[in-house]
Amino acid sequence: MDREMVPGLSPVQVVALVGVLGVGAQWLAWRFKLPAIVLMLGIGLLVGPVFGLFLPDRDLGPIYRPLIAVAVAIILFEGGLTLDYGRLGDSRSPVQRLVYLGAPLGWALSALVLWLAVGLSWQSAAVFGGVMVVTGPTVIAPMLRQARLRARPAQILQWEAIVNDPIGVLIAVLVLEVVLVLETGLSVGAAAWLIGSGIGFAAALGWAAGRFMALAFTRAWVPEYMKVPVLFVGVIAVFAATDSVLHETGLLAVTIMGMVLANAKLSSYAELHRFKEHATILLVSGVFVLMAASLDFATLGELTWRAALFVIFTVALARPLQVLIPLIGTKLPMNERWLIALTGPRGVVMVAVSGLFGDKLVEAGIADGAALAPLAFIIVLSTVVIHGFTLAPLARRLGLSGADRPGLLLVGGSPFAVALAQALKKAGVDTLVADTNRQHLTKARQAGIPTYYGDILGETAEHQVEFIAYPAVLAASDNDAYNTLVATDLGPHLGRDAVWQISRERDHARHALPAQLGGQRLEGRPTFQIANQRLAEGWTLRSTRLTEEYDMEDWAADRPGAEPFAVVSKTGSLRFATEGTPVTLAAGDWITAFLPPEQSRAEDAPAPEIAAEAADVARDHREKGETTS
């Protein structure tokens, strides 16, 4: 189709269309478990160079490039905001090596491949080599969730992506400034002064702005409802101020600003970061669709077979060397090193920055700078597809994948939690029982159930608990307020549909909580006190697998008085049964239910000491509640 024959859209229509397409692609990716970046790429190509529905340069005019620049700055600020070095744990040493040694090595290797294999000029190869360091946290995170990697390699991959995201851009910024300054014909001394002063000013202003924001938030100079707007305005102001001194150093300034805030231990950090995450999703979606729509097929066609050679050298040579050489001498096992070395998907920041920097090179008279954006699309698409399909099999081959069984994190080490964990184990569900009281975990350890002693919301838990192995949570401690806190805190990270809390003791109008607090409620199911009292009276929790010959009706007929509590589907998903929600099961599904004493079998009955402890727990909980009231 002739793109010039299609009438242009207004800027408002373009913004609306890009928003719908970008967020729609993200939703479709979540719904069908596909890489979002591939869908955004495909949609952008279709509406842009294929059908010519809209062309960013034509329809947005002079505001297109500034919009992309500001969006990239905010994305990088959010990346810096995640760099809380106190949360690295035992991954600190490998991540530091991958940053201090791996990033410069990756830049050199990638630039060499681009110069020799692709045939780019040394200027374009050096700039794009810096961008190649970026591995893309927005891409690696969903891959890690899908592959269910063990905690340490998953953490190293994610932190490398987070840290190297701004590092790679900064390398590219520095090289770009060198190239642009050299193209102006300045002397070496003048060029060094211009670059050094610009970078120094950007670093100083970014650090000062971050410190000032942290101080203002800590001392309550800014009201809570204005913190996010002030932060947004501050980021854009810092970016504009530094960029006016030396082009592209604004990216360095906002990244440093985010890093300072990330390590300032702000009480409102979680809310700020969560809002920034939401804004970044919108910006990433929009930027990627816009960049894909602006791609020129003619430039892409000029790359020919060299582009394929570039992908092969990057995946099979540059990336492995970038990882394996820096990790020499570390205590990291070889299987983990190889997994990290063979996993390096690139993301949306690479595409956005490549298009931006490529235009700068073209303006400076370096013609092959126009090839940076097409090359970025090729490497992003190739690595996402390659690693998206190979990461899980590779992890299994190397013995680094988490269990394929569903997992449940039980917060609270009561006899009820032990009984539920034992029943779910029969249904193929791995459980972890966590409690802040070591004594509460004694019976769980004796039963062979994995336990965690400590606060599940603490920073230590982030390093010691493989949350990726336990995608569902049931907050079932003896404290309703703590259960609500756990569910509220973990909900945004794990998905509110995967976080449950045991029925509250007091849930009438005076004590009712707003919908945004807590997790999914086990409506009509036993409270903590009742669940433990039932065990003391001889009730049991038992899992039964349904078959074609023994369906739900047969199960219900054999167990009058049984109360369904949890359901495990044959596909491995876990959900809890609630009052008013029909329990419909198929052959191969498991149902876990409370069985009254007359329905319990001798081998399922709780041991005498468990029943006695359950009675003590229920009595103590009841007396505590009476005292409180």
Side-chain angles (χ1 to χ4, degrees), residues 191-268:
W193 166 251
L194 180 61
I195 295 172
S197 60
I199 292 173
F201 174 73
L205 183 59
W207 180 86
R211 293 293 299 169
F212 178 77
M213 285 286 184
L215 186 66
F217 290 173
T218 303
R219 297 192 177 181
W221 295 345
V222 179
E224 199 68 28
Y225 73 94
M226 285 191 66
K227 286 183 177 178
V228 170
V230 167
L231 198 60
F232 254 98
V233 171
V235 170
I236 296 174
V238 168
F239 173 72
T242 51
D243 212 49
S244 62
V245 174
L246 187 62
H247 285 304
E248 314 315 328
T249 53
L251 300 178
L252 169 63
V254 296
T255 303
I256 292 176
M257 180 180 173
M259 292 169 60
V260 172
L261 285 171
N263 292 274
K265 306 299 181 185
L266 299 176
S267 58
S268 54

Side-chain angles (χ1 to χ4, degrees), residues 71-85 134 136-138 158-167 169 235 251-252 254-263 269 272-273 276-277 279-281 283-284 349:
V72 171
I74 295 174
I75 292 170
L76 287 180
F77 169 75
E78 196 274 337
L81 200 61
T82 60
L83 301 181
D84 182 357
Y85 293 110
V134 177
T138 56
Q158 192 156 15
W159 270 97
E160 182 208 7
I162 291 171
V163 178
N164 275 351
D165 215 37
I167 294 295
V169 174
V235 170
L251 300 178
L252 169 63
V254 296
T255 303
I256 292 176
M257 180 180 173
M259 292 169 60
V260 172
L261 285 171
N263 292 274
Y269 170 79
L272 293 176
H273 179 59
K276 297 297 293 178
E277 277 187 328
T280 302
I281 288 176
L283 292 172
V284 164
V349 172

Side-chain angles (χ1 to χ4, degrees), residues 18 44 71 88 144 160 263 271 278 305 317-318 347 369 408 429 480 493 523 580 595 597 620:
V18 168
L88 275 173
L144 295 177
E160 182 208 7
N263 292 274
E271 291 78 10
H278 297 164
W305 56 271
L317 181 64
L408 173 68
V429 177
D480 282 340
H493 302 289
E523 302 291 350
L595 303 183
D620 292 345

Side-chain angles (χ1 to χ4, degrees), residues 83-97:
L83 301 181
D84 182 357
Y85 293 110
R87 304 171 66 168
L88 275 173
D90 62 352
S91 300
R92 182 184 299 272
S93 177
V95 170
Q96 287 177 336
R97 283 176 173 252

Side-chain angles (χ1 to χ4, degrees), residues 520-571:
Q520 294 198 70
R521 313 293 172 83
L522 296 180
E523 302 291 350
R525 294 299 176 254
T527 62
F528 177 88
Q529 176 186 324
I530 293 175
N532 284 286
Q533 185 62 43
R534 284 184 175 182
L535 294 178
E537 294 171 354
W539 285 63
T540 60
L541 275 161
R542 185 182 176 197
S543 295
T544 305
R545 186 172 185 267
L546 303 182
T547 64
E548 295 287 353
E549 296 77 20
Y550 190 79
D551 58 15
M552 186 66 187
E553 292 184 0
D554 298 325
W555 178 89
D558 288 346
R559 294 168 178 78
E563 185 177 283
F565 190 79
V567 174
V568 181
S569 71
K570 57 185 176 183
T571 59

Side-chain angles (χ1 to χ4, degrees), residues 353-583:
V353 172
S354 298
L356 197 63
F357 291 1
D359 290 341
K360 298 289 183 182
L361 291 172
V362 172
E363 292 173 3
I366 303 170
D368 61 0
L372 266 59
L375 280 172
F377 277 109
I378 289 173
I379 196 64
V380 165
L381 181 60
S382 302
T383 55
V384 167
V385 171
I386 291 171
H387 298 304
F389 285 103
T390 62
L391 181 56
L394 178 64
R396 286 194 295 268
R397 183 70 179 269
L398 295 173
L400 294 173
S401 62
D404 292 331
R405 296 148 58 98
L408 173 68
L409 171 61
L410 280 163
V411 180
S414 66
F416 158 69
V418 175
L420 179 60
Q422 290 176 317
L424 290 176
K425 182 178 181 180
K426 182 180 178 182
V429 177
D430 293 322
T431 56
L432 176 72
V433 179
D435 203 296
T436 55
N437 188 323
R438 189 184 296 273
Q439 291 183 344
H440 292 174
L441 299 172
T442 302
K443 291 295 187 292
R445 287 196 295 266
Q446 291 174 348
I449 300 168
T451 61
Y452 172 74
Y453 165 58
D455 195 329
I456 202 64
L457 300 180
E459 289 189 5
T460 304
E462 294 184 14
H463 309 312
Q464 297 184 3
V465 176
E466 295 194 33
F467 283 96
I468 199 167
Y470 305 101
V473 175
L474 174 61
S477 74
D478 61 352
N479 188 323
D480 282 340
Y482 182 67
N483 292 337
T484 301
L485 176 63
V486 169
T488 302
D489 188 80
L490 296 181
H493 302 289
L494 302 178
R496 296 191 183 278
D497 59 330
V499 178
W500 303 74
Q501 70 180 98
I502 197 169
S503 297
R504 302 173 70 238
E505 299 289 343
R506 300 179 181 183
D507 212 13
H508 47 80
R510 183 180 293 272
H511 300 282
L513 295 174
Q516 66 267 26
L517 295 181
Q520 294 198 70
R521 313 293 172 83
L522 296 180
E523 302 291 350
R525 294 299 176 254
T527 62
F528 177 88
Q529 176 186 324
I530 293 175
N532 284 286
Q533 185 62 43
R534 284 184 175 182
L535 294 178
E537 294 171 354
W539 285 63
T540 60
L541 275 161
R542 185 182 176 197
S543 295
T544 305
R545 186 172 185 267
L546 303 182
T547 64
E548 295 287 353
E549 296 77 20
Y550 190 79
D551 58 15
M552 186 66 187
E553 292 184 0
D554 298 325
W555 178 89
D558 288 346
R559 294 168 178 78
E563 185 177 283
F565 190 79
V567 174
V568 181
S569 71
K570 57 185 176 183
T571 59
S573 63
L574 168 68
R575 70 181 190 276
F576 290 94
T578 58
E579 189 177 63
T581 302
V583 179

